[in-house]
Amino acid sequence: MNHGGHDWKPEQARKSLKRLLPELEAEFSTRLEPVAFDWHRFKNRLHREWERLFSYLHELYGWQYDFHYTLERILRSLIESWLERPEDLRRLDERREAEPEWFQSQEMVGIVLYVDLFSDHLAKLKDNIPYFKKLGLTYLHLMPLFVSPHGENDGGYAVSDYRSINPDLGTMQELEEVAAVLRDEGISLVLDFVFNHTSDEHQWALRAKSGDPDYMGFYFTFPDRELPDQFQRYLRDIFPEVRAGSFTWNDELQRWVWTTFNSYQWDLNYANAEVFRAMAEEMLFLANRGVEVLRLDAVAFLWKRLGTDCENQPEAHTTIRAFNALARIAAPALLFKSEAIVHPNEVIRYVHPDECQLSYNPLLMSLLWEALATQDVRLLEHSMRTRYRLAAGCAWVNYLRCHDDIGWTFDDDDARSIGIDPASHRRFLNQFYTGEFPGSYARGKKFQENALTGDVRVSGTLSSLAGLEAALERDDSELIERAVRRITLLMGIQVSIGGLPLLYAGDEYGMINDYTYLHDPRKVNDSRWVHRCRKRWEAKEDLADLDTIEWRFFRETAKLFNLRKRLPALYNGGMEVVETGNPHLFAFLRAHAEQRLLVVTNFSETDQQLDPRFVVPWVPGGEALDHLTGTRITVTDGLMLEHHRAVWLDV
Ligand code: GLC
Ligand code: GLC
């Protein structure tokens, strides 16, 4: 609707709010009076965000006859959840609103872990806070810990109830306690928001199965193959080894159900305003438990459109922005992290202060591995030069490994522009990291080989992929040293290049692959379990123990993390790739608050020389302090870097 170019939406937005708010204020008056001052601030935020919220919701649901009802229900949910927000979280909201860029600090360092694998249950997690502190961690992501099906559950990514914790792990009250203790210790709690799908055992799915039309409307179900076949033509299979196609026949319903991932993960239908409203309530419920960052799972798949691959649709962005606006109003301390493991052009579109302030950085992750295997940094250099910059107020979450597989994401034209054939390069990388390539040190496992397209991804721990497993097996100290250096090389970049480094628990002590999943029928078909290790390292501070490989890693990791915190130049912000004239050397400049750091890294298996022409201009005095070793280095004759070594020069 366009009335002569005049944008009618702001006016209509104000009108709607004017109608709705007084009624709701009257309805909630007895609960609002005692918190009059806070309510005032809530309303300020509401007025600040309302226009955009209205416009997102209008875009998604404005065509439905009951749009005004949708607005009312959502506003009511907002007020209710805000009323339930505990006092200390409201104070946290104030602090975060006063300092919205808190997460950009170089002090931020994260870890992600499965509670059962790490500490059996929530109660014992608290005992590990000293361990976290030693590593300097400020951000703790607990992998899905909600009630989920007993059999296969995709590592918890099939959620049956967003409000209950899996009883093996603890209770919601324990989670709140953990959140509060962590908050006191300066550690932010991060949880997943698995909002693209529920498990087929969620109440909504159960009611849908029983034939309740309201709940059938929560999902995509089809009486026959007509539409599924039309959609399917454009869809990719995420787990091709498990099953072909994105639809599952359900006997109870006698219908096909849309299941992008596993057959027990039912995609939610966000074209239904009730789904949006219901999930918004779950989101705000989690925020009120003390969760400070929600990792938005599988964002790319949220919206379906016939004739497209149903990934990264514009409405997926609008939906997330609408959630973002709700959070800004009712739980402003809450941030979003996007999990979009898709083409780099698309990944970046989810990152915006109005959408997800944080995002995984799959491009950096995959290209670090790429450069390690090829010992050639040109693709990394080229891609980072052009693709690293984010909107102000946002940050990358840089990771080397996570609970998922590695897919070789990079732009094909980027590769071609430096003479790399993308398809054969990906084949090479798969062969290299699964150890098939002659001379490879890596011990990865194939993940989800697609018989039709030949695509495959790679599973494996940081250490096993970097050669430690093979080196330990051979008990060869020279090979062990090489593997250790490769790992520290990658970690050094992860903590310095800009953004929040996220450690995958276990990597701080050099965890290698765990093959026990092969004997578990619930896991054997999913090689990602090879890096979701059962084995644990008890960090006993027994001095006799300190020479072990585990301690060596632990010390290196803690050193890098803590060094990061001391260097203002590493505050999130600009990163400038610096030319080295040597295809094995990757270098970049970080600058902030009067400090400049020149980071130079050597990806080669041999020592490499940085020509004086490329380093002298950055180091006017000819000499600079290297923060990694604490020594001063003269660069007038260039710089000699041993294999897999790096320098962080204060220039
Ligand atoms: C995300 C998770 C992955 C899961 C998928 C489906 O990609 O990281 O582990 O399989 O979503 O929820
Ligand atoms: C994710 C990604 C896919 C990934 C999978 C889980 O959402 O899109 O590439 O491998 O789900 O492992």
Side-chain angles (χ1 to χ4, degrees), residues 154 236 238-239 261 295 297-301 311 339-342 403-407 447-448 457 526 528 532:
D154 194 17
R236 77 176 154 121
I238 306 296
F239 297 140
F261 295 91
R295 169 194 180 275
D297 183 62
V299 289
F301 303 91
E311 292 186 39
E339 191 248 349
I341 313 301
V342 287
H403 68 291
D404 279 335
D405 47 288
I406 301 178
F447 179 67
Q448 300 296 336
R457 282 116 70 192
D526 188 337
R528 291 177 297 176
R532 300 171 179 176

Side-chain angles (χ1 to χ4, degrees), residues 350-606:
Y350 294 90
V351 201
H352 190 279
D354 290 343
E355 198 162 332
C356 297
Q357 301 87 348
L358 292 162
S359 167
Y360 281 100
N361 191 349
L363 185 63
L364 176 67
M365 183 278 293
S366 75
L367 291 180
L368 286 175
W369 288 108
E370 187 266 348
L372 197 68
T374 57
Q375 305 178 46
D376 184 322
V377 303
R378 284 172 309 158
L379 185 54
L380 173 67
E381 190 179 84
H382 177 80
S383 308
M384 290 305 121
R385 182 169 281 145
T386 51
R387 297 178 179 275
Y388 206 76
R389 187 171 292 258
L390 287 179
C394 297
W396 289 117
V397 172
N398 293 322
Y399 65 114
L400 302 172
R401 289 301 295 114
C402 68
H403 68 291
D404 279 335
D405 47 288
I406 301 178
W408 302 111
T409 170
F410 52 77
D411 178 66
D412 288 4
D413 285 333
D414 284 357
R416 284 187 201 105
S417 74
I418 53 171
I420 292 174
D421 172 56
S424 59
H425 201 54
R426 288 196 179 90
R427 259 196 311 279
F428 159 74
L429 291 168
N430 281 321
Q431 286 174 353
F432 188 89
Y433 281 109
T434 52
E436 283 173 12
F437 194 80
S440 162
Y441 46 73
R443 284 287 172 84
K445 303 278 286 176
K446 284 186 184 168
F447 179 67
Q448 300 296 336
E449 189 157 21
N450 189 321
L452 290 176
T453 62
D455 283 348
V456 65
R457 282 116 70 192
V458 175
S459 295
T461 67
L462 173 64
S463 290
S464 292
L465 293 175
L468 186 66
E469 186 181 331
L472 288 173
E473 240 171 57
R474 292 217 213 152
D475 196 17
D476 180 326
S477 56
E478 143 80 18
L479 293 184
I480 294 176
E481 177 65 22
R482 278 188 181 268
V484 171
R485 284 208 197 177
R486 287 184 202 111
I487 294 164
T488 2
L489 173 80
L490 299 190
M491 280 192 168
I493 297 174
Q494 177 193 20
V495 302
S496 61
I497 195 165
L500 195 162
L502 180 61
L503 175 78
Y504 184 58
D507 289 344
E508 78 281 14
Y509 67 82
M511 164 181 88
I512 58 174
N513 286 352
D514 176 355
Y515 298 97
T516 55
Y517 80 99
L518 292 169
H519 310 293
D520 183 338
R522 298 182 313 162
K523 296 179 176 166
V524 62
N525 290 323
D526 188 337
S527 70
R528 291 177 297 176
W529 288 101
V530 84
H531 54 252
R532 300 171 179 176
C533 304
R534 284 241 147 251
K535 283 177 281 176
R536 246 181 248 165
W537 174 55
E538 298 294 340
K540 289 190 232 66
E541 278 189 71
D542 175 358
L543 285 178
D545 220 34
L546 287 180
D547 270 341
T548 60
I549 191 98
E550 285 87 354
W551 272 111
R552 178 161 179 204
F553 275 106
F554 186 86
R555 280 194 302 265
E556 284 289 346
T557 311
K559 176 188 143 187
L560 283 172
F561 288 177
N562 289 306
L563 182 58
R564 165 184 160 92
K565 289 166 183 265
R566 291 207 308 273
L567 300 175
L570 298 185
Y571 187 92
N572 182 53
M575 186 280 293
E576 200 179 323
V577 172
V578 169
E579 206 184 336
T580 63
N582 180 332
H584 308 291
L585 300 180
F586 176 56
F588 52 87
L589 190 77
R590 300 296 320 284
H592 182 77
E594 315 273 303
Q595 189 181 49
R596 289 206 316 178
L597 275 192
L598 177 66
V599 174
V600 188
T601 61
N602 179 6
F603 275 80
S604 167
E605 297 281 331
T606 60

